[in-house]
Amino acid sequence: MNWDDRPHEDAAALAPERLVGASADGEEQAVEAALRPKDLGEFIGQEKVREQLDLVLRAARARGATADHVLLSGAPGLGKTTLSMIIAAEMGAPIRITSGPAIQHAGDLAAILSSLQEGEVLFLDEIHRMSRPAEEMLYMAMEDFRVDVVVGKGPGATAIPLELPPFTLVGATTRAGLLPPPLRDRFGFTAHMEFYAPEELERVVHRSALLLDVEIDADGAAEIAGRSRGTPRIANRLLRRVRDYAQVKADGVITRDVASAALKVYEVDSRGLDRLDRGVLEALLRLFGGGPVGLSTLAVAVGEERETVEEVAEPFLVREGLLARTPRGRVATPAAWAHLGLTPPNAAAPGAARSGQGGQGDLFGA
Ligand SMILES: Nc1ncnc2c1ncn2[C@@H]1O[C@H](COP(=O)(O)OP(=O)(O)OP(=O)(O)O)[C@@H](O)[C@H]1O
């Protein structure tokens, strides 16, 4: 692959305002700030990452040194920003937060690097979206704590070396495979963040409910966790919407029934699928007998852009084992038929799919 051909598209931009979308806008980030765990002990799940990071940070502290550079990879909303703040807090260091798309020129990066304090943590979100010249400057900065600032243009241009204080770069990316190897190799510690297990998300929901001063029982937390697509950000967001419902329509307490009823209003079903996801599955099952069908045809049937189906709906459907991408086209799995309460054509009378027992009414139930 040519590294300059890396995709720069942002799936969140294709379907903004999605309750089960994993990205957050600025407004939501402000709300989230109050819910962030402050140290490794408070950070839920990701046991291996926590254990390894704990060692890296303790050892650096014991040596009185700046921690090694850390690369965090994983889907949006799994806690990469939170972990970078925890790294700074555990090291007793300040943190500077920026992102790849904000650094389009090497000069932008030079300005940030040259203003860092000794030991400071530089969090670079979406590091895979940095410009090539900035990336090359970063190689030297990470390795030698030095950058060459080019002054002037053309034959008269001169590179002036600039010493930097030791710092810790925490890079975050949703696509570690897209980072050029020279950049990846310069991180002393790489952690891959996994989707969270339902029990871990239940703990996230309980913790957030406590901070938001919302009463919730174990079943209510389990119901929200089960619909949160393995992602703490989504769990926190669903909790806030269910809290609203509980305040307006119930006595303020979140139980399983309250959570199910609230999420039915918001069209998030029992597996965390929203209207777009179900639209894709329904078209695949009802119109194309479960496939195989080409992506473009499927997208037209759903009334969405090809990219929206491919980048917004499909990744979760594939992860959930509801849809498979095959060389012949998209194919529904038996689990998809079961989830929508439909019977596959070969199991029913010849012809189209038909509703099985249960049908659509059960989708939002507990
Ligand atoms: N392990 C965790 N325990 C408790 N809360 C968590 C955990 N991980 C994430 N959260 C909560 O989820 C929200 C999103 O986390 P965060 O912003 O760190 O995700 P991110 O991976 O940086 O997302 P993005 O890639 O979009 O920047 C925050 O409110 C945070 O408090």
Side-chain angles (χ1 to χ4, degrees):
M1 171 189 276
N2 174 353
W3 297 113
D4 291 328
D5 290 340
R6 286 167 286 175
H8 277 204
E9 75 290 329
D10 181 359
L14 293 168
E17 314 284 324
R18 246 188 132 199
L19 196 57
V20 292
S23 300
D25 60 17
E27 206 174 305
E28 182 166 31
Q29 279 163 10
V31 179
E32 282 184 341
L35 299 178
R36 284 189 201 285
K38 303 275 183 291
D39 57 40
L40 276 178
E42 256 191 86
F43 194 82
I44 293 163
Q46 311 288 345
E47 301 298 336
K48 267 280 152 257
V49 172
R50 266 194 313 144
E51 190 186 345
Q52 293 166 350
L53 198 54
D54 187 43
L55 284 174
V56 170
L57 301 181
R58 272 172 198 256
R61 276 201 310 263
R63 291 193 302 268
T66 302
D68 264 355
H69 303 305
V70 176
L71 179 64
L72 302 173
S73 73
L78 297 187
K80 299 184 293 298
T81 308
T82 305
L83 217 42
S84 74
M85 291 177 171
I86 289 177
I87 292 172
E90 299 265 347
M91 293 304 292
I95 182 166
R96 183 88 54 99
I97 296 182
T98 185
S99 72
I103 299 176
Q104 281 316 313
H105 306 285
D108 300 337
L109 182 64
I112 294 172
L113 291 172
S114 61
S115 65
L116 291 176
Q117 297 174 36
E118 180 159 351
E120 190 158 356
V121 171
L122 173 62
F123 178 59
L124 228 167
D125 204 2
E126 298 188 78
I127 192 169
H128 60 279
R129 293 178 65 186
M130 225 178 0
S131 74
R132 194 60 189 264
E135 206 167 81
E136 277 166 10
M137 174 179 274
L138 194 58
Y139 296 162
M140 194 195 276
M142 289 171 79
E143 201 151 276
D144 303 330
F145 298 114
R146 188 170 70 88
V147 288
D148 282 338
V149 180
V150 180
V151 181
K153 279 198 172 138
T158 335
I160 303 178
L162 189 67
E163 296 292 325
L164 304 172
F167 65 95
T168 299
L169 177 71
V170 180
T173 179
T174 48
R175 305 161 178 236
L178 289 181
L179 281 192
L183 181 55
R184 233 181 315 160
D185 293 347
R186 282 172 167 80
F187 287 96
F189 174 65
T190 299
H192 180 71
M193 316 220 5
E194 305 285 350
F195 287 101
Y196 290 66
E199 313 80 69
E200 293 168 340
L201 289 179
E202 281 173 41
R203 284 162 57 204
V204 170
V205 170
H206 275 300
R207 179 181 172 275
S208 300
L210 202 65
L211 292 170
L212 294 171
D213 203 13
V214 182
E215 204 177 319
I216 186 166
D217 69 14
D219 288 344
E223 195 57 45
I224 294 175
R227 300 181 188 216
S228 301
R229 303 160 76 111
T231 308
R233 168 170 293 138
I234 300 177
N236 283 339
R237 192 185 295 145
L238 296 186
L239 171 65
R240 295 197 298 273
R241 295 292 71 80
V242 174
R243 171 196 57 183
D244 295 348
Y245 182 96
Q247 270 172 7
V248 175
K249 301 263 192 184
D251 57 2
V253 181
I254 301 178
T255 60
R256 184 181 293 276
D257 287 348
V258 167
S260 307
L263 293 173
K264 184 170 187 174
V265 171
Y266 288 106
E267 301 186 284
V268 177
D269 75 19
S270 59
R271 287 184 81 147
L273 273 63
D274 73 352
R275 207 146 61 89
L276 173 69
D277 304 319
R278 281 192 308 279
V280 170
L281 272 195
E282 284 216 27
L284 182 56
L285 302 189
R286 291 185 188 278
L287 303 178
F288 305 107
V293 61
L295 173 62
S296 303
T297 310
L298 186 58
V300 170
V302 183
E304 293 287 350
E305 295 296 325
R306 210 182 124 92
E307 291 75 18
T308 306
V309 172
E310 187 175 27
E311 287 163 38
V312 183
E314 282 188 353
F316 181 64
L317 296 176
V318 171
R319 208 178 97 211
E320 281 287 285
L322 297 169
L323 178 146
R325 292 167 167 166
T326 74
R328 289 165 57 226
R330 272 50 178 173
V331 178
T333 65
W337 292 98
H339 183 59
L340 290 193
L342 297 171
T343 309
N346 56 3
R354 63 175 170 80
S355 283
Q357 285 186 344
Q360 295 287 299
D362 289 337
L363 272 186
F364 295 93

